[in-house]
């Protein structure tokens, strides 16, 4: 496992709920192999390892709300308890040690979130919030999961970076004739960082309609952020929840929700395809940045006033003690 004292106690997005159907789904979270499977009581997340002989449970199948190991057919219920060992008579007691390791797992906003801290639910560790998802005047689209060969903090910081829009996304989101970022500040609000509204001449959704949009960035957690773009001339709002699944130090998957309060009759595929183009453009940068780890020492790279959101992000990772995907050289 990637030993990061913060992320191993955080809710991390691992899949879209709709992608966990009747078969086990395997994935890697912080180098830990995990299997997801659906039961009548919701999605479950186990360590992808059978206690009997170490076979991956994800190669098995789901039967009657249980996951069945592919090797000798041991059956584990949704709580991880072994309820059937085919090699012994049914009346024989199953050893209590015959259990799967269960991780807290919840579905929210159509995303499956897993926490490697087994007490996360008891402790009430909060999930990121995204109220637009439940607001009937908005419509949400899931962008396709996007795999990046980059460390999570570089990927999140890129999402929080207003200055690149006019260059990396020229013609899609930004215009290099209008690259200036007006001064703004970032504030700590309850449990997150929130930027002032930043006026940016931009296109909200690749439709070709440029206007002054007011961007608000929020850093919710080390791997989760959100963004709201408001056009006050027509009251159109486009929001995003952006969350990164850290597979390991150099590989991530991005899950992004794109939510709008306009063009509700437009096909969702338009917004999904648009987001795909945006992230393909970002991939070219984030997969090639050096060092691959985000430098948390603020002396390590140069910063402008326009970079205040990323400065807040780097500082917060350092204060929290995040080490995953981070270069902590120079921090006390
Ligand atoms: Fe899983 Fe034997 S390894 S049942
Ligand atoms: Fe970008």
């Amino acid at each position: 496992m990637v030993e990061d004292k913060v992320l191993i106690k955080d809710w991390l997005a691992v899949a879209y709920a709709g992608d966990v159907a009747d078969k086990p789904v395997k994935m890697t979270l912080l180098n830990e192999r995990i299997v997801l499977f659906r039961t009548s009581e919701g999605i479950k997340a186990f360590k992808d390892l059978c206690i009997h002989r170490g076979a991956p449970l994800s190669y098995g199948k789901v039967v009657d709300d249980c996951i069945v190991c592919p090797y000798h057919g041991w059956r584990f219920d949704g709580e991880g308890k072994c309820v059937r060992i085919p090699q012994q008579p049914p009346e024989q007691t199953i050893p209590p040690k015959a259990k799967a390791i269960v991780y807290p797992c919840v579905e929210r906003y159509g995303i499956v979130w897993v926490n490697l801290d087994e007490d996360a639910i008891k402790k009430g560790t909060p999930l990121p919030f995204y109220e637009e998802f439940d607001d009937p005047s908005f419509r949400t689209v899931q962008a396709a999961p996007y795999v990046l060969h980059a460390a999570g903090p570089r990927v999140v910081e890129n999402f929080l970076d207003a200055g690149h829009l006019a260059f990396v996304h020229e013609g899609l989101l930004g215009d290099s004739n209008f690259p200036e970022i007006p001064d703004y500040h970032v504030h700590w609000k309850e449990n997150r960082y929130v930027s002032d509204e930043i006026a940016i001449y931009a296109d909200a959704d690749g439709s070709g309609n440029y206007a002054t949009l007011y961007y608000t960035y929020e850093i919710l957690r080390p791997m989760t952020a959100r963004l709201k773009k408001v056009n006050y001339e027509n009251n159109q709002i486009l929001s995003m929840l952006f969350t990164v699944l850290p597979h390991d130090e150099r590989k991530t998957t991005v899950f992004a929700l794109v939510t709008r309060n306009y063009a509700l009759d437009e096909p969702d595929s338009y917004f999904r395809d648009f987001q795909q183009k945006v992230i393909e453009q970002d991939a070219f940068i984030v997969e090639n940045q050096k060092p691959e780890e985000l430098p948390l020492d603020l002396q390590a790279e140069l910063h402008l006033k326009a970079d205040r959101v990323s400065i807040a992000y780097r500082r917060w990772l350092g204060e929290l003690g995040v080490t995953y995907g981070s270069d902590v050289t120079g921090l006390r």
Side-chain angles (χ1 to χ4, degrees):
M1 199 191 293
V2 174
E3 287 301 331
D4 183 290
K5 64 176 187 173
V6 184
L7 297 189
I8 61 170
K9 295 193 173 172
D10 220 345
W11 291 107
L12 297 167
V14 294
Y16 287 126
D19 291 338
V20 184
D22 52 347
K23 291 197 178 67
V25 172
K26 64 172 180 165
M27 42 80 51
T28 307
L29 172 62
L30 295 171
N31 265 338
E32 187 75 11
R33 293 200 306 182
I34 304 230
V35 56
L36 306 173
F37 66 101
R38 186 175 280 283
T39 72
S40 54
E41 284 171 4
I43 297 173
K44 306 290 175 181
F46 291 0
K47 188 180 176 86
D48 191 10
L49 185 85
C50 178
I51 181 96
H52 179 220
R53 290 289 180 267
L57 293 170
S58 58
Y59 290 8
K61 56 188 177 183
V62 182
V63 178
D64 296 338
D65 279 357
C66 294
I67 189 158
V68 184
C69 179
Y71 201 2
H72 309 95
W74 290 23
R75 210 175 256 223
F76 300 88
D77 70 11
E79 310 308 311
K81 196 170 131 219
C82 182
V83 292
R84 176 96 180 93
I85 295 183
Q87 290 75 23
Q88 63 180 35
E91 60 280 7
Q92 196 171 320
T93 313
I94 291 172
K97 270 179 72 183
K99 279 195 341 209
I101 294 174
V102 181
Y103 296 116
C105 177
V106 295
E107 250 182 87
R108 182 75 62 86
Y109 318 125
I111 293 174
V112 184
W113 306 83
V114 166
N115 200 315
L116 296 175
D117 174 10
E118 60 179 35
D119 294 328
I121 290 180
K122 213 183 333 165
K123 287 181 189 160
T125 308
L127 280 151
F129 63 91
Y130 187 57
E131 61 270 21
E132 289 91 329
F133 185 84
D134 298 313
D135 184 331
S137 54
F138 284 83
R139 187 166 169 81
T140 295
V141 172
Q142 294 175 342
Y146 197 91
V147 176
L148 284 165
H149 295 280
R154 283 283 190 199
V155 177
V156 175
E157 188 185 76
N158 172 68
F159 175 76
L160 297 170
D161 181 292
H164 80 290
L165 301 175
F167 297 94
V168 175
H169 305 299
E170 163 125 64
L172 188 62
L173 293 172
D175 180 338
S176 60
N177 294 311
F178 299 90
E180 269 182 49
I181 305 293
D183 203 9
Y184 66 90
H185 287 87
V186 179
H187 312 272
W188 177 254
K189 249 194 201 168
E190 290 162 33
N191 49 6
R192 66 197 195 277
Y193 278 102
V194 183
S195 76
D196 291 333
E197 288 194 316
I198 310 168
I200 301 176
Y201 185 72
D203 178 347
D205 55 18
S207 59
N209 299 318
Y210 278 79
T212 300
L213 305 178
Y214 289 82
Y215 277 58
T216 306
Y217 290 96
E218 295 192 29
I219 314 170
L220 301 182
R221 291 300 304 159
M223 290 295 109
T224 305
R226 51 185 225 168
L227 165 64
K228 189 188 247 186
K229 312 179 207 181
V230 184
N231 182 338
Y232 284 108
E233 278 171 27
N234 54 18
N235 290 320
Q236 290 186 351
I237 301 174
L238 189 134
S239 294
M240 287 184 70
L241 181 75
F242 184 94
T243 187
V244 168
L245 158 56
H247 295 292
D248 60 33
E249 288 286 348
R250 295 284 161 84
K251 187 177 167 199
T252 47
T253 294
V254 172
F255 299 96
L257 303 182
V258 182
T259 302
R260 64 195 194 267
N261 72 343
Y262 61 93
L264 300 180
D265 298 330
E266 284 286 313
D268 287 341
S269 57
Y270 173 82
F271 291 88
R272 203 172 291 126
D273 296 348
F274 154 73
Q275 188 52 33
Q276 180 79 10
K277 281 184 226 153
V278 172
I279 198 143
E280 280 167 6
Q281 293 176 336
D282 286 319
F284 170 67
I285 299 294
V286 298
E287 292 186 336
N288 290 291
Q289 282 173 288
K290 297 282 178 200
E292 286 86 346
E293 294 77 27
L294 191 70
L296 301 191
D297 178 2
L298 296 178
Q299 307 303 320
E301 290 184 323
L302 285 174
H303 306 279
L304 303 174
K305 281 183 180 172
D307 297 322
R308 279 196 172 116
V309 183
S310 19
I311 294 169
Y313 180 59
R314 292 182 185 205
R315 188 172 283 139
W316 197 30
L317 294 187
E319 284 166 6
L320 288 170
V322 171
T323 51
Y324 160 73
S326 302
D327 182 348
V328 296
T329 315
L331 293 194
R332 271 177 298 149

